[in-house]
Amino acid sequence: MSPVNDRYPLPVLAEAPTAWRSLEARHAGAFTAGSPPEGLPRRVLLELAAFGAAAAGLSGCFRQPPEKVLPYSRQPPEVTPGVPLHYATGLTLEGHVRGLVVRSHEGRPTKVEGNPIQPESLGAAGAHEQASLLGVYDPHRSRVVRHRGAPTTRAALFARLQALAARTDAGAGLRLLVEPTASPLWARAHARVLERYPRARVVPFSATDTGAAQEGTRLAFGRPLRALPRFRTARTVVSLEDDFLSTLPGSPRTAHEFVAARTPPDLNRLWVVESHLSVTGAFADQRLRARPSRVPQLARALAAEVGRALGRAELAGLSEDTVALSDEERRWVSAAARDLAGQGRRALVVAGARQPAAVHALVHLVNEALGAMGDTVVLVDETLSPAPDAVALATLVDELRAGTVDTVFITAWNPVYRAPADVPLGEALGHVRDAVYCALHDDETAAACTWSVPSTHPYEAWEDGRATDGTATILQPLIAPLVEAAVAPLDLVAAFTGELDASAYDRLRALWRERTGMADREWEGWLADGVIPGTQLPEVEAHVDSARVLAAVRALPPPVGEHLELHFVPDAKVHDGRFGANPWLQELPDPITKVTWDNAAQVSPATASRLGLERGSRVRLEVRGRALDAPVLVVPGQADDTVTLPLGYGRTRGGPVAVGVGFNAYTLRFQDAPWAVSGARLTRLEGRHDFALTQEHWRMEERPLALQTTRKNFEAHRDELLKGFQEPKEHLYPPNPRHVEPPHRWAMAIDLHRCTGCSACVVACQAENSIPAVGRAQVLRGREMHWLRIDRYFLGSDENPGVITQPLMCVHCEYAPCEYVCPVAATVHSDEGLNQMVYNRCIGTRYCSNNCPYKVRRFNYLNYTGHDPLARMYRNPQVTVRPRGVMEKCTYCVQRIEAARITARVEGRAIRPGEVVTACAQACPTNAIVFGDLNHPDAEVSRLHEDARHYALLHELGTRPRTVHLIRLKNPSEELA
């Protein structure tokens, strides 16, 4: 690709780095995806048919007759057909709850939103929360109780549970394998089991939380606490491989707080050191790439420089016997330390879960030295119970193999698949008489257990949970279990707490009545609001034991030599694998690599050149006597001599959507090296692999697209910087006849300065508008159906580029090129500014797509909608489900506009400013997307359309889009400029 500025020179941006989509496009100047396979594979049909994706593709042009519609035999009093209800609930991720509000149509949950008064979501919902809805209607869920693989009944299961509960050994042979959780109800259930069976043990297991953060607070403060960063008040943030801007494992709250403190012209500054390019690293002002083994040493060097700047001799002494830093590392560490010291109590250092406990403890010491405790970081009591323990699973396996355990209850998700390679849990479970496993799917753990029990979905059962700050939420069911044999995991444990006679609802109410003395009216209020007031944890004052921390830091092992390092990371989409059965997330492009339906062994351009690798090369990775075959993806920003392996793929059981996708990186993960292992050997194999990448689809040629500059440059050249993107342009389109001023002028603004590329908006749009997943083979052909895409552009060098992301959907041009070429007037303009699609007029010529310069229209090549009853249940009934052979695109959520219009007419008023919020804007954690009416001059969208940073995308074409973008501003260190 030729540089942006070669074709369109800009007076002020000419010295900025040029933007490019991928290494292949930059150096070859052509789209280099592999040749797509012929036809639609049968496996893809089986994977996606029941999700309404591809089954009807076999039916050609024939359409099934409409199903019979039967009325209610008795109309529920609270249900009005066509009028949705909303219920507050939550979803537990990484042990803590995100508050949600779920829309329900006639008893069917159809859309997930964030709860605006719950502190972890603040009204936003990440991609995983949005996609969780699909799990309720998953046709591949486990459906029967099985004993040694044979179907049996719930009655037989509970008869066996009651017999096991009558044990007389005080629980010596009883173990519960669970995930750490902050739920008070689960904590009480575990406590009651241990009261009745004092020799039993509750074993925690998490593949992504190995307890380093908790052990770090124990090292620093003498007891386990939780450090809560307050990004809103921090002016300088240094991240040591902490991807806090990602919504998983982070949360909408952290992204919201950080970006809120970045409002121009007063910008904070973000420094990031990491091994692979993450969402947070892509957003950084100053980023340093480093091998995993060097990050702790860089943290030590940073602490020493901060100590020297603050006059803290004990910290400055860490510079003794440190490893030699490169010139780039030394400059970065020195500049970051001076920035931290200059901000003092308004500075903040954070460490990610993959860092060892000593680094977490060192971070607390540095924050205390800066005076940040109580300002940019606060401490609260740890609420996870049982506490994460990296060695607990290995201890359990030893007990199982020794034969001292006869009964194991497993509610942790799929531990056989996620266990370290040197902890053979699957084999050890064969020694147990009664291993009872409760899960949504018949997965790898179900195959290894005596009893496998279908679980209820989180939206089908009563539970509770806490946010990271302790705020409690009641998780209420939104629908009766769709699987008749499904059992709530808490009901299994109730067999051992003596509470089987009480329902989960009664147990939950009894717990909170005992804790708060609540009345029935209060309970109903908690359910309606989604939070329990007064449950936020108080802040804790504690001081760091510097001597103990410094001793632990000095004991850190030195970085490895020239050996290749393997680096394990949770996948941005399927996380540790638990979302692998979700086609919305499998087809969601990775925020950085843009890979769908796959994972890859990621290497840097320099490493790829040294080893003779390129995109799609197949390699064998060997370490400690184990081997793994994987395809290679060359990723800019990756640390040299490091291979990053995303977890969560390579499944052998768990439903056709999850099985056979990617490779299983857990096979090279060891108990003593959960995040990085050195000494790997890489061997190139024959053959190539085609990645289903989306970044090189829907190209807009080499024009100025996603714009960014520095804060200093923008302030110096504010008037002329974007002048050419804002002035009226001449064009050849005929004027739109307008006899009267429209009552509304709908418009959108997308602030690139706020967009992190987390992709929550993409899944929100998919859920709201019933957009299907199409499968890997169709994505390879460029046929993905997402109405909203997030383009990712690299800026600068191959090795350590800057990154900018740009959400793009139909921009609803005032002079829309698509409208003039449609032979049947299927795409037309409304008097309120919407570019509308009339689906029953469309005959599929695709002229409109050819004439669209923004490449935002999608065509139904196959009948992706399907006919499965479960697939129809999650669709939004306010949206037309498109058949095969029509063009579709973003509608500005016209169904929401019309719903607001109807409500306003009924109430005899006009639509209020801010009353209409599109699905993408509602989900966005950082408020990067704003929708509204330009006829309201005080509306936020009107203000942004007049902001000095706004520009019209492809403005030179004269299309006058109703969606404007706002340029991103960076705040780099002048010392490193």
Side-chain angles (χ1 to χ4, degrees):
M1 173 185 291
S2 60
V4 171
N5 297 336
D6 287 355
R7 183 172 297 186
Y8 296 92
L10 307 178
V12 179
L13 297 180
E15 296 181 2
T18 55
W20 39 285
R21 287 171 170 261
S22 66
L23 289 167
E24 290 76 12
R26 185 183 197 194
H27 297 299
F31 176 50
T32 55
S35 301
E38 293 297 325
L40 188 64
R42 178 176 178 272
R43 185 172 107 61
V44 175
L45 293 177
L46 295 175
E47 286 175 352
L48 301 176
F51 282 106
L58 298 176
S59 62
C61 298
F62 299 99
R63 300 181 182 177
Q64 297 291 331
E67 69 279 3
K68 294 181 179 180
V69 179
L70 301 178
Y72 291 106
S73 58
R74 178 180 298 175
Q75 181 69 40
E78 71 277 8
V79 174
T80 301
V83 178
L85 299 175
H86 295 81
Y87 298 94
T89 185
L91 186 68
T92 301
L93 296 171
E94 294 286 302
H96 292 98
V97 162
R98 319 275 178 88
L100 305 175
V101 174
V102 180
R103 183 182 67 198
S104 178
H105 283 91
E106 288 81 60
R108 298 177 294 110
T110 56
K111 183 67 171 64
V112 173
E113 306 288 1
N115 187 340
I117 64 173
Q118 203 264 358
E120 205 66 22
S121 58
L122 299 175
H128 301 86
E129 293 94 303
Q130 297 281 345
S132 63
L133 179 71
L134 209 57
V136 178
Y137 306 105
D138 186 349
H140 307 300
R141 286 173 59 176
S142 175
R143 297 194 170 273
V144 296
V145 179
R146 295 183 182 275
H147 180 242
R148 300 191 184 279
T152 185
T153 63
R154 281 174 49 121
L157 168 68
F158 279 97
R160 181 57 182 166
L161 293 180
Q162 289 177 314
L164 293 172
R167 62 193 311 130
T168 59
D169 63 349
L174 175 63
R175 299 291 183 269
L176 276 65
L177 182 56
V178 304
E179 300 213 18
T181 177
S183 163
L185 187 61
W186 271 103
R188 191 185 80 155
H190 295 157
R192 290 203 169 187
V193 169
L194 296 178
E195 286 174 7
R196 298 187 71 190
Y197 309 98
R199 298 178 64 189
R201 195 160 60 87
V202 179
V203 180
F205 173 67
S206 171
T208 54
D209 186 352
T210 55
Q214 292 80 3
E215 183 59 28
T217 59
R218 192 189 301 274
L219 264 175
F221 304 109
R223 57 186 173 124
L225 297 172
R226 178 167 289 270
L228 301 180
R230 292 291 180 251
F231 293 103
R232 188 183 294 272
T233 58
R235 307 312 305 157
T236 294
V237 178
V238 173
S239 166
L240 303 173
E241 210 165 46
D242 184 5
D243 192 13
F244 63 84
L245 290 181
S246 171
T247 56
L248 192 73
S251 75
R253 175 187 59 80
T254 56
H256 177 87
E257 286 188 358
F258 178 81
V259 174
R262 201 173 174 81
T263 304
D266 186 21
L267 272 61
N268 56 17
R269 181 172 293 135
L270 176 59
W271 303 74
V272 174
V273 56
E274 61 184 4
S275 302
H276 82 295
L277 186 57
S278 68
V279 169
T280 303
F283 204 73
D285 296 299
Q286 299 288 171
R287 177 179 180 270
L288 177 68
R289 59 198 183 103
R291 300 173 67 179
S293 61
R294 291 193 67 83
V295 176
Q297 299 300 323
L298 288 168
R300 177 176 175 174
L302 177 69
E305 288 295 321
V306 170
R308 186 175 292 109
L310 296 176
R312 295 285 296 265
E314 73 280 14
L315 278 174
L318 287 175
S319 61
E320 300 173 2
D321 302 324
T322 57
V323 298
L325 302 183
S326 67
D327 290 341
E328 181 186 12
E329 291 173 335
R330 187 179 302 105
R331 288 195 301 269
W332 190 95
V333 166
S334 298
R338 279 190 285 273
D339 198 5
L340 288 171
Q343 293 293 346
R345 64 191 307 166
R346 299 197 307 167
L348 173 65
V349 184
V350 293
R354 297 192 296 277
Q355 292 306 301
V359 172
H360 285 271
L362 180 61
V363 163
H364 299 312
L365 180 57
V366 172
N367 283 329
E368 185 180 71
L370 291 167
M373 289 296 184
D375 285 288
T376 60
V377 60
V378 298
L379 300 172
V380 297
D381 287 322
E382 180 59 76
T383 55
L384 288 181
S385 176
D389 186 348
V391 301
L393 186 67
T395 303
L396 173 63
V397 167
D398 291 340
E399 293 177 329
L400 298 178
R401 301 176 86 175
T404 59
V405 175
D406 57 69
T407 304
V408 179
F409 277 87
I410 304 176
T411 55
W413 180 78
N414 205 356
V416 168
Y417 164 71
R418 296 186 298 159
D422 53 347
V423 180
L425 177 63
E427 179 268 329
L429 286 172
H431 298 272
V432 182
R433 184 185 61 199
D434 288 284
V436 184
Y437 175 55
C438 187
L440 282 170
H441 296 91
D442 291 324
D443 54 28
E444 291 86 346
T445 301
C449 289
T450 316
W451 296 86
S452 64
V453 184
S455 173
T456 54
H457 189 275
Y459 296 156
E460 298 173 336
W462 289 96
E463 282 193 24
D464 64 2
R466 288 183 181 271
T468 53
D469 71 347
T471 301
T473 294
I474 302 297
L475 312 185
Q476 60 177 319
L478 307 167
I479 191 172
L482 296 182
V483 174
E484 186 177 356
V487 178
L490 270 168
D491 287 344
L492 287 179
V493 180
F496 283 76
T497 61
E499 299 174 301
L500 263 180
D501 294 337
S503 68
Y505 176 77
D506 292 335
R507 296 196 298 271
L508 186 61
R509 287 198 58 163
L511 168 67
W512 285 101
R513 185 180 292 112
E514 176 185 320
R515 286 188 168 216
T516 65
M518 58 91 179
D520 290 346
R521 183 176 299 177
E522 290 178 297
W523 174 261
E524 295 300 326
W526 297 349
L527 293 182
D529 294 341
V531 296
I532 301 178
T535 51
Q536 183 176 352
L537 295 172
E539 295 181 13
V540 174
E541 285 193 15
H543 297 286
V544 178
D545 186 334
S546 58
R548 185 164 52 196
V549 172
L550 294 174
V553 171
R554 288 191 170 95
L556 284 169
V560 300
E562 299 302 318
H563 299 291
L564 198 66
E565 291 188 56
L566 302 184
H567 180 220
F568 303 96
V569 296
D571 186 70
K573 302 180 300 173
V574 303
H575 194 43
D576 57 357
R578 69 185 63 223
F579 297 105
N582 193 305
W584 283 356
L585 292 174
Q586 287 277 17
E587 195 153 299
L588 179 68
D590 182 278
I592 301 299
T593 65
K594 295 301 174 181
V595 170
T596 69
W597 293 98
D598 225 332
N599 61 340
Q602 302 173 22
V603 299
S604 71
T607 300
S609 176
R610 180 173 64 83
L611 299 176
L613 304 174
E614 58 186 7
R615 181 203 291 182
S617 298
R618 300 197 61 85
V619 298
R620 174 163 296 157
L621 298 167
E622 298 175 272
V623 65
R624 297 188 184 181
R626 297 179 181 271
L628 171 68
D629 294 351
V632 165
L633 186 66
V634 184
V635 181
Q638 171 81 6
D640 294 338
D641 299 318
T642 302
V643 182
T644 294
L645 302 176
L647 302 170
Y649 292 87
R651 302 282 302 282
T652 58
R653 293 175 61 91
V657 174
V659 170
V661 179
F663 58 86
N664 183 6
Y666 286 108
T667 58
L668 297 184
R669 197 180 188 218
F670 299 92
Q671 180 189 347
D672 65 334
W675 298 116
V677 59
S678 62
R681 187 175 69 173
L682 184 149
T683 306
R684 181 163 182 171
L685 304 177
E686 296 294 328
R688 290 185 54 81
H689 181 81
D690 289 327
F691 288 107
L693 294 165
T694 63
Q695 176 62 20
E696 292 165 343
H697 298 174
W698 317 111
R699 296 179 64 174
M700 293 182 286
E701 301 305 327
E702 296 81 16
R703 292 180 267 204
L705 304 173
L707 303 183
Q708 79 174 23
T709 187
T710 65
R711 175 184 59 84
K712 184 178 179 180
N713 188 44
F714 182 78
E715 291 173 351
H717 304 280
R718 182 187 302 267
D719 294 334
E720 67 269 24
L721 182 63
L722 296 174
K723 186 177 180 180
F725 296 88
Q726 297 171 348
E727 296 174 335
K729 287 284 185 181
E730 295 182 1
H731 55 79
L732 300 178
Y733 302 113
N736 290 326
R738 181 175 293 168
H739 305 292
V740 295
E741 189 67 22
H744 305 285
R745 291 189 298 139
W746 303 111
M748 182 175 284
I750 302 176
D751 193 346
L752 302 185
H753 183 73
R754 288 177 167 267
C755 176
T756 64
C758 72
S759 301
C761 55
V762 178
V763 183
C765 175
Q766 190 166 18
E768 172 70 16
N769 295 293
S770 303
I771 299 171
V774 301
R776 182 177 184 275
Q778 294 301 300
V779 175
L780 275 168
R781 292 173 176 265
R783 293 178 177 179
E784 63 271 15
M785 295 297 296
H786 293 137
W787 290 2
L788 190 164
R789 73 177 191 264
I790 299 182
D791 291 334
R792 181 267 299 125
Y793 297 96
F794 293 119
L795 304 162
S797 69
D798 292 0
E799 297 299 332
N800 194 23
V803 181
I804 184 169
T805 54
Q806 183 176 52
L808 188 61
M809 67 292 283
C810 176
V811 296
H812 294 267
C813 308
E814 292 277 9
Y815 300 99
C818 56
E819 296 174 7
Y820 303 104
V821 296
C822 181
V824 292
T827 176
V828 295
H829 215 77
S830 78
D831 60 345
E832 296 181 352
L834 270 65
N835 177 259
Q836 299 176 323
M837 275 299 306
V838 185
Y839 295 128
N840 61 354
R841 287 185 189 170
C842 182
I843 60 174
T845 63
R846 291 175 281 163
Y847 295 162
C848 57
S849 181
N850 289 337
N851 222 41
C852 173
Y854 303 95
K855 300 307 172 191
V856 289
R857 291 173 165 264
R858 304 292 176 260
F859 185 70
N860 275 311
Y861 285 90
L862 300 172
N863 192 349
Y864 300 118
T865 57
H867 305 295
D868 186 85
L870 282 177
R872 289 196 293 268
M873 289 182 71
Y874 66 79
R875 294 181 187 145
N876 184 357
Q878 297 176 332
V879 175
T880 301
V881 178
R882 288 77 54 190
R884 179 185 186 184
V886 302
M887 190 66 66
E888 53 186 83
K889 66 170 189 68
C890 164
T891 64
Y892 270 172
C893 287
V894 66
Q895 67 276 9
R896 296 192 175 198
I897 296 175
E898 294 307 315
R901 197 190 315 273
I902 292 170
T903 301
R905 285 175 178 171
V906 169
E907 297 178 0
R909 59 174 176 81
I911 298 177
R912 302 186 185 101
E915 187 172 358
V916 182
V917 182
T918 58
C920 55
Q922 189 166 3
C924 182
T926 61
N927 298 326
I929 302 176
V930 175
F931 180 77
D933 185 358
L934 293 178
N935 279 352
H936 294 289
D938 297 330
E940 179 69 5
V941 70
S942 298
R943 185 188 69 80
L944 293 174
H945 269 245
E946 298 299 326
D947 191 283
R949 292 188 295 116
H950 92 273
Y951 69 97
L953 191 62
L954 303 186
H955 181 59
E956 68 276 8
L957 300 183
T959 57
R960 291 183 58 185
R962 278 287 178 89
T963 296
V964 300
H965 289 76
L966 279 74
I967 187 173
R968 173 182 285 185
L969 302 183
K970 305 293 278 188
N971 189 23
S973 168
E974 294 184 8
E975 187 175 344
L976 296 182

